[in-house]
Every structure is written in structure tokens, then in C-alpha cells.
Amino acid sequence: MRISRRDVLCGGLALSASSILSRNAWARTLAAFSGNDDSAAALAAVAPRERLLFDFGWKFIFGNGENPAKDLGFGNDQGDFSKTGEFRFAEVRYDDSKWRALNLPHDWAVELPFVWDEEQKSHGYKPLGRRYPETSVGWYRREFDVPASDEGRRIAVEFDGAFRSVLVFVNGCFIGRNDNGYAPFRFDLSDFLHYGKKNMITLRVDASFGDGWFYEGAGIYRHVWLTKTDPVHLGQWESYVRSELKGGTATLSLATVVENQNKEAASARVTWKILDAGGATVATAEAPEQSIAAEGSTSYAATATIRNPALWSTDEPNLYSAIVTVESGGKAVDAERVQFGVRTAVFTADKGFFLNGKNIKIQGTCNHQDHAGVGAAVPDRLQRFRAGVLKEMGCNAVRTSHNMPTPEWVDACERMGLMMMCETRQMSSSPEGLAQLAVMVKRYRNSPSIVLWSIGNEEWELQYTDADIGQKVAAEMVELCHQLDPTRVVSAAVNGDNKQGVSLALDIIGFNYNLKFPDDYHKAHPDKAIFGSETSSAIGTRGEYASDKLRNTVSSYDVTVSWGETAEEWWTFYGTREWEAGGFAWTGFDYRGEPTPYGWPSINSQFGIVDMCGFPKDNFFYYRAWWGLASGLGPSLHLFPHWNWRGREGDEIPVWVHSNADSVELFVNGKSLGSQPVPRLGHVEWKARYEPGAIEARATKDGKVILTERRETTGDAVAIRLTADRTEIDADGEDVAVLKVEALDEQGRPVPTAENSIAFKVSGAGALIGVGNGNPNCQESDKAPRRSLFNGLAQVIVQSAKTPGAITIEASKDGWDGPNLKPATLTITTKQVDLRPSVG
């Protein structure tokens, strides 16, 4: 049966609202980001709902996808759907004393060993799927209290995402199920709770099936929330703010939906208070009181203006907040904070892309959502770390390949000035496909980062074989996007000539690779805006300078796959055509699964401009030179390779430089090999015979040396060095510090070829949650307190406890073999902060 348009548009499928905060959480959030107590006080004056983080204090055990006896009896006489309330494993009294204690988010796939099974290649060689029943099903339990005073409120559990098929039980009762790995979902628990008593929620998560062809994780890998509202409350994701900029004034169109879950009619009015980043009120509006039928809903709308608004841009990501309040019976009964920005984003067919009237190129990267050490369960702070890595090379946009992103990634991009191509997982006009699309658009339509929606990626059947079906499916999806959000264009990532199928329904045209097609398409369709939806697929292994099939390594001298383009090729194409809006390189970060160009023992891709840890590869500095120049990052110079080539004395070594200077001169042990002009969007290179010592590059602009960089031949590693992205973090049980591990020679220089195995000991007010080294062929544990260096680097991620104090990280030589290394110790201070409201 087909889903109705009204169900999608009116919220019948809207499942939760990530922007809703409790009174105390509003105060904490605004104070943390603005440092303004007035804004916190303004929010604290409203007395609405509670939204409690539900991440702490869970228990976990593996089930079984094949044998009920190993799956808590689920499916036999201890657990079937014949009677409500008879699932014994979901009751408070069930014995879970042998279960493992953990906190969410949690990805159990990253904890599993690697298996040489070619059917698991694209998923990173992890034992998940129907042939691995012992490791493909997991159970979670959490006991929680509900006070007697909550009787009469509506109480729901909200999941930001879980992988993949989730069955939810409360107090022995089956509540519902969710069957996709990326869209959020929620269930109203009000009728199934014991008020004033203990309650139990139990989840069965089955990762036997995948949604994609890449590593996706397994388990409750995003946040969970418990929300408590008045029966008269704001609809989930129904509040939006649309801005229209004319001259020095922004006109805001404000709208929301209020639901009444009482058994009798109610009256309510809605007010809006618009706050700037400092918490000052810059506008207000209200919608008059209306009657809402019992078990019904009513729409409210108003307008407001902001004079001389601070615009959101990639350079200055200014944000505003709308406090939306529902009043009924003379008091505030519900409220939420909606974060938004004022900006214009226009794609044109002849001049490319304009942000706030300024013509800029989209300098984007495609990214999956996993990271070294933690898999898909990425802590909030790590999202900001990843965004920061991309910003450092001049990246100004990201594509959420190939699924609805987590809210914290969207928030990081909003705050750090990254535009976004937001993509849904399933290209389909089926009820499920439209429901997933609707949730994505409604949830994120207030984000200034998002400049276009994507309805899918490389759907070969719908593009070619069944092109007539593809056009109709895409048209339905585009129409839904326009109805829910008329302010943005809709596209898709298409690998081909864009002459049929899905492409015929799109607002703007995205090309994946195939540089032979865009010019002809532009000539034939001069009224269509064009961009690179997925480009390049350059590959490389960090710190390696020769492709070696025996070692599964790829040269760092800008290599690509058969279907792709090098970094220089694709950006020279897109960066020099006025009508091209820019594009998204595949990929920003390396990611698990799809090991390319090799198979086993490679367990992740090598497409990244940075590796799995975020350590830059040499191509990073190509983008830093040319994207950074456009982004105002200034002069750039990067010299490679390293100069440790023991045993190759006298051999010619290719030496490259990425720079945006006028010219670069290369010196080998003080002798000049000549100066070369730097071609626009290109690089310069020499052949230098290796002899120990140093190479040095000197970059010149307007006849003056502006930058120099050296690579010296180092000695053997004798010591370890630890450095952290931050030495003070929040003591909230969530914040993380990201540590870089290096080996130094006797002169204190990093050894770029070091592969020493390092052991770690973490003590005090935190814990180790993951390790990595960026080696695409490394099958060491992501969770063990040890890791080998790969070409001189490794990474450790530590997370704070809720008690302030200090986290001490000790690094030493692992094992008895090999040369001695002087150990290193680093201390991270954890400071006391107001904790996010959470379930006790």
C-alpha cells in the first residue's frame, strides 16, 4: 500500500526531534557556544519538556541469528508474539548479571576480528551477515526509573540511528521495530511504563543485512534519548525557519505544528523569540490562539524580520536560534530551540554557485561516517575533529555518502562553516523510501550548511535498464523535497551521461567521474546547473612512494583508479570552468570496507585525502595549496617524500612540491637543482639522487622567498612522543582527546619510517576507547591498549569520565623484542562542567 502524501507532509512518519532540549540543556548549550548567560537565562525562563540523554548504564550480550536457545530464547516458548507482555528477557527481574556493561554509542562490529571471506570484502572483512549468526545479533538492556509525577505526560524513546534491524521491548511488551540503519526512529512508551517504579527497556539489534556496500557498523551507534512532554506539544521536526534576504533585512517565515494528545479539545498559541549567537533577542513573533481537536493537530505560522543580519558563510558561520513556545491554559507547556542561519545559496547554469551573492567553487569531499578506533560510534567531539581536518586543507563542503548523517556531524558543519550535500540512503518512492527522505528533510531543513538534497547514488538500474521507472521514482522524491523544503535544489550522484532515467527529474545535474560528459551536456542543456557529485577517486598510502602489489601499498604521487582522475586532473577541470559549481572528491577520509585497489589483507579503502585517523597524505597539501588559496588560508608549501632511503644511495628519487607560490627552488644537501615556476593548479617535481642529509624547498613570490621546508635523514627511533589535540577536556563522560603518537630519533626529529609497536596505559579520570595508525593493511585490534606505528604515526583516543581530574596516558615499547624506546607520558585535565540532562 502506497504511503499518502499527507502522511509524509503532516508528520505521520516524523519520528523524533533532535533539536528539542530541556530547560537546563538549553542553558548549557547556549552558554557553551556563546558564553552569554543572558541567552541561557532566556531559555531557562521557559518551562517545557524534558529531553534526557539515554546513553549511560546499558548492558550488552551477543545473541544468535539462527539458534533461539542462544538468543535469549527469542522465537521459542520464552519469546514470541502470541501474547503481549510475556517476553521474559525484557522484564526487570530477568538475570543479566553476566552481561557486559557499556555506554552508548556502541559499534560492536569494530570490536570483532577480521575474517578472510571475500563476501565480506566491501564491509571490511568483518564477520557480519547470515553466515555469521553468532556475531550478527546483539541485545541491549537498561533499567530506568519513571517518577510517579510523570503520570499523564507523553514519554517516548528516540534513537538517532541504529544498525540495523531493531526490536524494542519495554517491561516485557513488544513496542515496535525499525529496519534501516540511518534514519532515526521513536516509540511512545507512555502506556507501557510503571510510574513510580523500576522499568526495563530491551533491544534486539540484528546486523545480518546491510543497507550499503561499505562498512556500516553494528549496534546502537548513535545517541538515544528519553523525552517527556505535555499532551499538548510541538510536533516532531515540524518547526521551521525560512529566511528571505532583501537588502539589509532578513524576513523570516516561521511555522510549526502543535499536537494535542488529550482526550478533549485544547486551545494553544505559539510564540517565537529569535536570538543571535550572543543570546540577545533580535526579533519576536506570535501566532494567535487556536483550538486543537482531541487527538488532533493544528498548524501555526508567523513572520519576523532581522535587520542587518549576520550571514552564515564558510568564513563566518553565524547562527541564530528560534525559541518556539506553546502556551495553553495561560502557561507554557512546551518549547524547543531551532538553530538556523541566514544565507542565500544559488546554483546557476552559466556562472556556477553563489553563497550570499558571492561566486565560489564548491571545494568538497565525500565521506563515510566511521573513524579509526571507534568505527561508526563516533563521539560528538570527534565529529568536530574530523570537520577541522577537512577545513585545514581548504575544504568548504561535504557530501554525506551515502546516507542520512548523524545530527552531530550536521551541527559540526554548521558551526565550522562547511556546506553540505545531504543524501538519503534509499532511492525509492516506496513508503519506506519516502519516509526516510521525509525524515531527513524535515530534520535538517533548518541547517544553513545544507545547500542541496541528494536523493541517491549511482542507481544503475533506475538510470539505464529501467530508465522509465527511474524518472518516475526520482520525480516523486524531488516533489516531496520541494513540498517539505521549497528553498533548496535537489540532485543525485549519477555515474553516466545524465541523458535519461533519474536525471530527467533533477533540479541540477551531478556527474560522478566521466570528465568526457559535462562539456557536451552543458552545450546541450545551457539552462541546467552542473556540479561534480563524486570525482577523482585518487588513491594513495600515507608515507609510501611506490605501488607494491606484494605489500598492498599505493604510491603517494597522485595516483588514481581506472575510472577516476588524479587530484590535479579533476580539479583542473572543475576549477577552471566558470559554469561548473565545483565538486566533491572521493573521499576526504579513508574508510573501512571497499579495500581498493587491493583485497585481503587490506581492510579499508585508500581513496582518502587523509587516512583513517585523519593524518594527511601528500595530496592533502595539493588541496591545501589551491583550495586554501581560494579559502584565504594563504601561502602553502609541502615537500615530499621523506629523506630516509637507506640502501638506495645513488638512486634517483622523485621529489615533488605542492605550493601556490610563484616558483620553488629545490636544494639537495645545499646544492640547487634549479627553480621552477609553479603551474596554476599543478605541482613541480625534480629527480634527485639520494644521499643522506637533507632536501630543502624554497618558495618564492614576487621575487622574495616566503616559505621554506626541509626533509632530513633521521636516525633510528629512540623515544616516543605524545601530543594531544587538546590538553583539557570536559568531565562529562562524553568528551574525547585525540592523541598523536610518534617515534623520535636522538635529535628529537620524527622518524617517518618508524613501525615500532607501542603499548599504552591509561589511568585516572578517563579511559582508552580506540587506537589506529592509518595503515590500510593493519589488522591489529582497534580496542587493545597497543598499536604499531605506521610510517611514524599512530593515534589514541581517550574519553573522559564524569568526575573531574586528570587522565594519564603512558606510552612505552610493546614487548621484549626490538630496540629500546624512551617512554612518554601525557596528562589530560578534565574540567567540571554541567552535565547534559540524562536518564538516571
Side-chain angles (χ1 to χ4, degrees), residues 262-294:
N262 284 310
K263 300 301 182 183
E264 61 278 337
S267 293
R269 66 188 286 263
V270 176
T271 64
W272 287 263
K273 180 183 290 186
I274 310 301
L275 308 177
D276 66 13
T281 300
V282 295
T284 59
E286 64 178 69
E289 186 173 82
Q290 298 185 64
S291 179
I292 311 172

PDB file of all heavy atoms in Angstrom, residues 262-294:
ATOM      1  N   ASN A 262      -4.525  14.882  24.197  1.00  0.00           N
ATOM      2  CA  ASN A 262      -5.577  14.759  25.197  1.00  0.00           C
ATOM      3  C   ASN A 262      -6.812  14.117  24.582  1.00  0.00           C
ATOM      4  O   ASN A 262      -6.967  14.056  23.358  1.00  0.00           O
ATOM      5  CB  ASN A 262      -5.957  16.143  25.737  1.00  0.00           C
ATOM      6  CG  ASN A 262      -4.932  16.679  26.716  1.00  0.00           C
ATOM      7  OD1 ASN A 262      -4.548  15.986  27.655  1.00  0.00           O
ATOM      8  ND2 ASN A 262      -4.496  17.922  26.493  1.00  0.00           N
ATOM      9  N   LYS A 263      -7.714  13.692  25.455  1.00  0.00           N
ATOM     10  CA  LYS A 263      -8.977  13.112  25.007  1.00  0.00           C
ATOM     11  C   LYS A 263     -10.039  14.173  24.767  1.00  0.00           C
ATOM     12  O   LYS A 263     -11.168  13.854  24.373  1.00  0.00           O
ATOM     13  CB  LYS A 263      -9.495  12.093  26.029  1.00  0.00           C
ATOM     14  CG  LYS A 263      -8.554  10.924  26.270  1.00  0.00           C
ATOM     15  CD  LYS A 263      -8.283  10.141  24.983  1.00  0.00           C
ATOM     16  CE  LYS A 263      -7.383   8.947  25.243  1.00  0.00           C
ATOM     17  NZ  LYS A 263      -7.057   8.214  23.996  1.00  0.00           N
ATOM     18  N   GLU A 264      -9.678  15.433  25.032  1.00  0.00           N
ATOM     19  CA  GLU A 264     -10.610  16.526  24.766  1.00  0.00           C
ATOM     20  C   GLU A 264      -9.861  17.640  24.041  1.00  0.00           C
ATOM     21  O   GLU A 264      -8.626  17.696  24.051  1.00  0.00           O
ATOM     22  CB  GLU A 264     -11.239  17.066  26.056  1.00  0.00           C
ATOM     23  CG  GLU A 264     -10.254  17.633  27.063  1.00  0.00           C
ATOM     24  CD  GLU A 264      -9.592  16.573  27.923  1.00  0.00           C
ATOM     25  OE1 GLU A 264     -10.159  15.467  28.066  1.00  0.00           O
ATOM     26  OE2 GLU A 264      -8.479  16.851  28.430  1.00  0.00           O
ATOM     27  N   ALA A 265     -10.613  18.518  23.395  1.00  0.00           N
ATOM     28  CA  ALA A 265     -10.017  19.621  22.647  1.00  0.00           C
ATOM     29  C   ALA A 265      -9.240  20.543  23.586  1.00  0.00           C
ATOM     30  O   ALA A 265      -9.502  20.619  24.793  1.00  0.00           O
ATOM     31  CB  ALA A 265     -11.102  20.398  21.904  1.00  0.00           C
ATOM     32  N   ALA A 266      -8.254  21.235  23.014  1.00  0.00           N
ATOM     33  CA  ALA A 266      -7.441  22.185  23.774  1.00  0.00           C
ATOM     34  C   ALA A 266      -7.182  23.414  22.908  1.00  0.00           C
ATOM     35  O   ALA A 266      -7.259  23.354  21.680  1.00  0.00           O
ATOM     36  CB  ALA A 266      -6.121  21.546  24.200  1.00  0.00           C
ATOM     37  N   SER A 267      -6.908  24.527  23.559  1.00  0.00           N
ATOM     38  CA  SER A 267      -6.555  25.755  22.848  1.00  0.00           C
ATOM     39  C   SER A 267      -5.104  26.092  23.152  1.00  0.00           C
ATOM     40  O   SER A 267      -4.624  25.879  24.266  1.00  0.00           O
ATOM     41  CB  SER A 267      -7.449  26.911  23.277  1.00  0.00           C
ATOM     42  OG  SER A 267      -8.790  26.684  22.855  1.00  0.00           O
ATOM     43  N   ALA A 268      -4.410  26.633  22.142  1.00  0.00           N
ATOM     44  CA  ALA A 268      -2.997  26.952  22.328  1.00  0.00           C
ATOM     45  C   ALA A 268      -2.594  28.082  21.389  1.00  0.00           C
ATOM     46  O   ALA A 268      -3.179  28.266  20.328  1.00  0.00           O
ATOM     47  CB  ALA A 268      -2.130  25.729  22.071  1.00  0.00           C
ATOM     48  N   ARG A 269      -1.616  28.839  21.806  1.00  0.00           N
ATOM     49  CA  ARG A 269      -0.969  29.832  20.959  1.00  0.00           C
ATOM     50  C   ARG A 269       0.518  29.537  20.915  1.00  0.00           C
ATOM     51  O   ARG A 269       1.049  28.800  21.774  1.00  0.00           O
ATOM     52  CB  ARG A 269      -1.219  31.257  21.478  1.00  0.00           C
ATOM     53  CG  ARG A 269      -0.584  31.547  22.826  1.00  0.00           C
ATOM     54  CD  ARG A 269      -1.012  32.906  23.386  1.00  0.00           C
ATOM     55  NE  ARG A 269      -0.390  34.023  22.714  1.00  0.00           N
ATOM     56  CZ  ARG A 269       0.697  34.662  23.153  1.00  0.00           C
ATOM     57  NH1 ARG A 269       1.269  34.278  24.292  1.00  0.00           N
ATOM     58  NH2 ARG A 269       1.203  35.673  22.497  1.00  0.00           N
ATOM     59  N   VAL A 270       1.206  30.094  19.927  1.00  0.00           N
ATOM     60  CA  VAL A 270       2.632  29.842  19.749  1.00  0.00           C
ATOM     61  C   VAL A 270       3.357  31.177  19.644  1.00  0.00           C
ATOM     62  O   VAL A 270       2.894  32.098  18.962  1.00  0.00           O
ATOM     63  CB  VAL A 270       2.903  28.997  18.487  1.00  0.00           C
ATOM     64  CG1 VAL A 270       4.405  28.830  18.263  1.00  0.00           C
ATOM     65  CG2 VAL A 270       2.236  27.637  18.589  1.00  0.00           C
ATOM     66  N   THR A 271       4.494  31.274  20.317  1.00  0.00           N
ATOM     67  CA  THR A 271       5.339  32.456  20.217  1.00  0.00           C
ATOM     68  C   THR A 271       6.734  32.053  19.768  1.00  0.00           C
ATOM     69  O   THR A 271       7.173  30.916  19.996  1.00  0.00           O
ATOM     70  CB  THR A 271       5.449  33.205  21.554  1.00  0.00           C
ATOM     71  OG1 THR A 271       6.114  32.360  22.512  1.00  0.00           O
ATOM     72  CG2 THR A 271       4.071  33.585  22.081  1.00  0.00           C
ATOM     73  N   TRP A 272       7.414  32.988  19.119  1.00  0.00           N
ATOM     74  CA  TRP A 272       8.795  32.776  18.680  1.00  0.00           C
ATOM     75  C   TRP A 272       9.661  33.898  19.229  1.00  0.00           C
ATOM     76  O   TRP A 272       9.280  35.074  19.194  1.00  0.00           O
ATOM     77  CB  TRP A 272       8.904  32.801  17.157  1.00  0.00           C
ATOM     78  CG  TRP A 272       8.357  31.610  16.450  1.00  0.00           C
ATOM     79  CD1 TRP A 272       9.051  30.528  16.013  1.00  0.00           C
ATOM     80  CD2 TRP A 272       6.997  31.387  16.043  1.00  0.00           C
ATOM     81  NE1 TRP A 272       8.223  29.636  15.370  1.00  0.00           N
ATOM     82  CE2 TRP A 272       6.953  30.145  15.374  1.00  0.00           C
ATOM     83  CE3 TRP A 272       5.806  32.116  16.188  1.00  0.00           C
ATOM     84  CZ2 TRP A 272       5.776  29.630  14.843  1.00  0.00           C
ATOM     85  CZ3 TRP A 272       4.634  31.602  15.665  1.00  0.00           C
ATOM     86  CH2 TRP A 272       4.613  30.365  15.004  1.00  0.00           C
ATOM     87  N   LYS A 273      10.811  33.555  19.737  1.00  0.00           N
ATOM     88  CA  LYS A 273      11.813  34.541  20.143  1.00  0.00           C
ATOM     89  C   LYS A 273      13.094  34.204  19.387  1.00  0.00           C
ATOM     90  O   LYS A 273      13.620  33.091  19.492  1.00  0.00           O
ATOM     91  CB  LYS A 273      12.056  34.487  21.648  1.00  0.00           C
ATOM     92  CG  LYS A 273      13.103  35.499  22.131  1.00  0.00           C
ATOM     93  CD  LYS A 273      13.374  35.368  23.620  1.00  0.00           C
ATOM     94  CE  LYS A 273      12.171  35.832  24.430  1.00  0.00           C
ATOM     95  NZ  LYS A 273      12.473  35.850  25.897  1.00  0.00           N
ATOM     96  N   ILE A 274      13.601  35.164  18.607  1.00  0.00           N
ATOM     97  CA  ILE A 274      14.786  34.953  17.798  1.00  0.00           C
ATOM     98  C   ILE A 274      15.998  35.521  18.534  1.00  0.00           C
ATOM     99  O   ILE A 274      16.020  36.705  18.889  1.00  0.00           O
ATOM    100  CB  ILE A 274      14.652  35.619  16.415  1.00  0.00           C
ATOM    101  CG1 ILE A 274      13.314  35.231  15.758  1.00  0.00           C
ATOM    102  CG2 ILE A 274      15.836  35.248  15.530  1.00  0.00           C
ATOM    103  CD1 ILE A 274      13.123  33.748  15.561  1.00  0.00           C
ATOM    104  N   LEU A 275      17.003  34.675  18.768  1.00  0.00           N
ATOM    105  CA  LEU A 275      18.211  35.064  19.480  1.00  0.00           C
ATOM    106  C   LEU A 275      19.411  35.028  18.547  1.00  0.00           C
ATOM    107  O   LEU A 275      19.521  34.125  17.705  1.00  0.00           O
ATOM    108  CB  LEU A 275      18.473  34.116  20.655  1.00  0.00           C
ATOM    109  CG  LEU A 275      17.340  33.873  21.649  1.00  0.00           C
ATOM    110  CD1 LEU A 275      17.783  32.848  22.686  1.00  0.00           C
ATOM    111  CD2 LEU A 275      16.906  35.162  22.310  1.00  0.00           C
ATOM    112  N   ASP A 276      20.311  35.990  18.719  1.00  0.00           N
ATOM    113  CA  ASP A 276      21.563  35.925  17.965  1.00  0.00           C
ATOM    114  C   ASP A 276      22.545  35.017  18.692  1.00  0.00           C
ATOM    115  O   ASP A 276      22.219  34.425  19.742  1.00  0.00           O
ATOM    116  CB  ASP A 276      22.119  37.327  17.709  1.00  0.00           C
ATOM    117  CG  ASP A 276      22.553  38.046  18.981  1.00  0.00           C
ATOM    118  OD1 ASP A 276      22.669  37.390  20.041  1.00  0.00           O
ATOM    119  OD2 ASP A 276      22.765  39.273  18.916  1.00  0.00           O
ATOM    120  N   ALA A 277      23.771  34.921  18.167  1.00  0.00           N
ATOM    121  CA  ALA A 277      24.748  33.999  18.739  1.00  0.00           C
ATOM    122  C   ALA A 277      25.132  34.356  20.159  1.00  0.00           C
ATOM    123  O   ALA A 277      25.572  33.502  20.935  1.00  0.00           O
ATOM    124  CB  ALA A 277      25.996  33.956  17.858  1.00  0.00           C
ATOM    125  N   GLY A 278      24.957  35.627  20.546  1.00  0.00           N
ATOM    126  CA  GLY A 278      25.271  36.050  21.901  1.00  0.00           C
ATOM    127  C   GLY A 278      24.114  35.933  22.861  1.00  0.00           C
ATOM    128  O   GLY A 278      24.239  36.288  24.033  1.00  0.00           O
ATOM    129  N   GLY A 279      22.965  35.450  22.391  1.00  0.00           N
ATOM    130  CA  GLY A 279      21.800  35.276  23.258  1.00  0.00           C
ATOM    131  C   GLY A 279      20.882  36.475  23.325  1.00  0.00           C
ATOM    132  O   GLY A 279      19.894  36.451  24.064  1.00  0.00           O
ATOM    133  N   ALA A 280      21.182  37.543  22.559  1.00  0.00           N
ATOM    134  CA  ALA A 280      20.330  38.732  22.573  1.00  0.00           C
ATOM    135  C   ALA A 280      19.105  38.513  21.680  1.00  0.00           C
ATOM    136  O   ALA A 280      19.196  37.905  20.612  1.00  0.00           O
ATOM    137  CB  ALA A 280      21.110  39.946  22.084  1.00  0.00           C
ATOM    138  N   THR A 281      17.960  39.010  22.125  1.00  0.00           N
ATOM    139  CA  THR A 281      16.733  38.898  21.335  1.00  0.00           C
ATOM    140  C   THR A 281      16.758  39.924  20.212  1.00  0.00           C
ATOM    141  O   THR A 281      16.902  41.124  20.448  1.00  0.00           O
ATOM    142  CB  THR A 281      15.497  39.133  22.223  1.00  0.00           C
ATOM    143  OG1 THR A 281      15.483  38.154  23.260  1.00  0.00           O
ATOM    144  CG2 THR A 281      14.213  39.026  21.415  1.00  0.00           C
ATOM    145  N   VAL A 282      16.619  39.445  18.972  1.00  0.00           N
ATOM    146  CA  VAL A 282      16.662  40.349  17.816  1.00  0.00           C
ATOM    147  C   VAL A 282      15.314  40.435  17.110  1.00  0.00           C
ATOM    148  O   VAL A 282      15.122  41.298  16.257  1.00  0.00           O
ATOM    149  CB  VAL A 282      17.744  39.905  16.817  1.00  0.00           C
ATOM    150  CG1 VAL A 282      19.124  40.035  17.439  1.00  0.00           C
ATOM    151  CG2 VAL A 282      17.508  38.479  16.330  1.00  0.00           C
ATOM    152  N   ALA A 283      14.371  39.555  17.454  1.00  0.00           N
ATOM    153  CA  ALA A 283      13.030  39.604  16.854  1.00  0.00           C
ATOM    154  C   ALA A 283      12.103  38.708  17.658  1.00  0.00           C
ATOM    155  O   ALA A 283      12.541  37.775  18.337  1.00  0.00           O
ATOM    156  CB  ALA A 283      13.062  39.157  15.395  1.00  0.00           C
ATOM    157  N   THR A 284      10.821  39.008  17.585  1.00  0.00           N
ATOM    158  CA  THR A 284       9.792  38.173  18.203  1.00  0.00           C
ATOM    159  C   THR A 284       8.607  38.065  17.253  1.00  0.00           C
ATOM    160  O   THR A 284       8.438  38.882  16.350  1.00  0.00           O
ATOM    161  CB  THR A 284       9.308  38.746  19.548  1.00  0.00           C
ATOM    162  OG1 THR A 284       8.776  40.054  19.324  1.00  0.00           O
ATOM    163  CG2 THR A 284      10.437  38.811  20.567  1.00  0.00           C
ATOM    164  N   ALA A 285       7.796  37.054  17.465  1.00  0.00           N
ATOM    165  CA  ALA A 285       6.570  36.873  16.670  1.00  0.00           C
ATOM    166  C   ALA A 285       5.631  35.977  17.451  1.00  0.00           C
ATOM    167  O   ALA A 285       6.041  35.283  18.390  1.00  0.00           O
ATOM    168  CB  ALA A 285       6.886  36.261  15.310  1.00  0.00           C
ATOM    169  N   GLU A 286       4.360  36.000  17.061  1.00  0.00           N
ATOM    170  CA  GLU A 286       3.401  35.101  17.693  1.00  0.00           C
ATOM    171  C   GLU A 286       2.285  34.764  16.723  1.00  0.00           C
ATOM    172  O   GLU A 286       2.004  35.507  15.775  1.00  0.00           O
ATOM    173  CB  GLU A 286       2.823  35.720  18.956  1.00  0.00           C
ATOM    174  CG  GLU A 286       1.995  36.971  18.755  1.00  0.00           C
ATOM    175  CD  GLU A 286       1.424  37.473  20.070  1.00  0.00           C
ATOM    176  OE1 GLU A 286       2.216  37.939  20.914  1.00  0.00           O
ATOM    177  OE2 GLU A 286       0.191  37.375  20.235  1.00  0.00           O
ATOM    178  N   ALA A 287       1.709  33.619  16.938  1.00  0.00           N
ATOM    179  CA  ALA A 287       0.537  33.176  16.185  1.00  0.00           C
ATOM    180  C   ALA A 287      -0.633  33.092  17.159  1.00  0.00           C
ATOM    181  O   ALA A 287      -0.466  32.619  18.290  1.00  0.00           O
ATOM    182  CB  ALA A 287       0.790  31.818  15.550  1.00  0.00           C
ATOM    183  N   PRO A 288      -1.797  33.563  16.759  1.00  0.00           N
ATOM    184  CA  PRO A 288      -2.924  33.630  17.688  1.00  0.00           C
ATOM    185  C   PRO A 288      -3.408  32.259  18.145  1.00  0.00           C
ATOM    186  O   PRO A 288      -3.123  31.230  17.529  1.00  0.00           O
ATOM    187  CB  PRO A 288      -3.998  34.349  16.873  1.00  0.00           C
ATOM    188  CG  PRO A 288      -3.634  34.121  15.447  1.00  0.00           C
ATOM    189  CD  PRO A 288      -2.137  34.075  15.419  1.00  0.00           C
ATOM    190  N   GLU A 289      -4.122  32.267  19.233  1.00  0.00           N
ATOM    191  CA  GLU A 289      -4.655  31.043  19.819  1.00  0.00           C
ATOM    192  C   GLU A 289      -5.622  30.352  18.859  1.00  0.00           C
ATOM    193  O   GLU A 289      -6.425  30.996  18.190  1.00  0.00           O
ATOM    194  CB  GLU A 289      -5.364  31.379  21.131  1.00  0.00           C
ATOM    195  CG  GLU A 289      -5.846  30.165  21.908  1.00  0.00           C
ATOM    196  CD  GLU A 289      -6.391  30.547  23.269  1.00  0.00           C
ATOM    197  OE1 GLU A 289      -7.566  30.955  23.328  1.00  0.00           O
ATOM    198  OE2 GLU A 289      -5.635  30.449  24.251  1.00  0.00           O
ATOM    199  N   GLN A 290      -5.499  29.031  18.820  1.00  0.00           N
ATOM    200  CA  GLN A 290      -6.412  28.211  18.010  1.00  0.00           C
ATOM    201  C   GLN A 290      -6.863  27.016  18.830  1.00  0.00           C
ATOM    202  O   GLN A 290      -6.191  26.599  19.781  1.00  0.00           O
ATOM    203  CB  GLN A 290      -5.716  27.695  16.753  1.00  0.00           C
ATOM    204  CG  GLN A 290      -5.231  28.758  15.779  1.00  0.00           C
ATOM    205  CD  GLN A 290      -4.661  28.127  14.524  1.00  0.00           C
ATOM    206  OE1 GLN A 290      -5.378  27.470  13.774  1.00  0.00           O
ATOM    207  NE2 GLN A 290      -3.359  28.308  14.306  1.00  0.00           N
ATOM    208  N   SER A 291      -7.983  26.465  18.436  1.00  0.00           N
ATOM    209  CA  SER A 291      -8.482  25.245  19.066  1.00  0.00           C
ATOM    210  C   SER A 291      -7.902  24.031  18.350  1.00  0.00           C
ATOM    211  O   SER A 291      -7.835  24.003  17.113  1.00  0.00           O
ATOM    212  CB  SER A 291     -10.006  25.199  19.017  1.00  0.00           C
ATOM    213  OG  SER A 291     -10.484  24.006  19.597  1.00  0.00           O
ATOM    214  N   ILE A 292      -7.473  23.050  19.135  1.00  0.00           N
ATOM    215  CA  ILE A 292      -6.916  21.816  18.571  1.00  0.00           C
ATOM    216  C   ILE A 292      -7.810  20.666  19.012  1.00  0.00           C
ATOM    217  O   ILE A 292      -8.032  20.455  20.209  1.00  0.00           O
ATOM    218  CB  ILE A 292      -5.479  21.569  19.063  1.00  0.00           C
ATOM    219  CG1 ILE A 292      -4.619  22.834  18.894  1.00  0.00           C
ATOM    220  CG2 ILE A 292      -4.854  20.403  18.315  1.00  0.00           C
ATOM    221  CD1 ILE A 292      -3.263  22.726  19.537  1.00  0.00           C
ATOM    222  N   ALA A 293      -8.333  19.932  18.050  1.00  0.00           N
ATOM    223  CA  ALA A 293      -9.237  18.828  18.366  1.00  0.00           C
ATOM    224  C   ALA A 293      -8.531  17.755  19.181  1.00  0.00           C
ATOM    225  O   ALA A 293      -7.301  17.613  19.131  1.00  0.00           O
ATOM    226  CB  ALA A 293      -9.779  18.224  17.064  1.00  0.00           C
ATOM    227  N   ALA A 294      -9.293  17.006  19.947  1.00  0.00           N
ATOM    228  CA  ALA A 294      -8.738  15.882  20.692  1.00  0.00           C
ATOM    229  C   ALA A 294      -8.041  14.919  19.733  1.00  0.00           C
ATOM    230  O   ALA A 294      -8.563  14.612  18.656  1.00  0.00           O
ATOM    231  CB  ALA A 294      -9.850  15.162  21.451  1.00  0.00           C
TER     232      ALA A 294
END
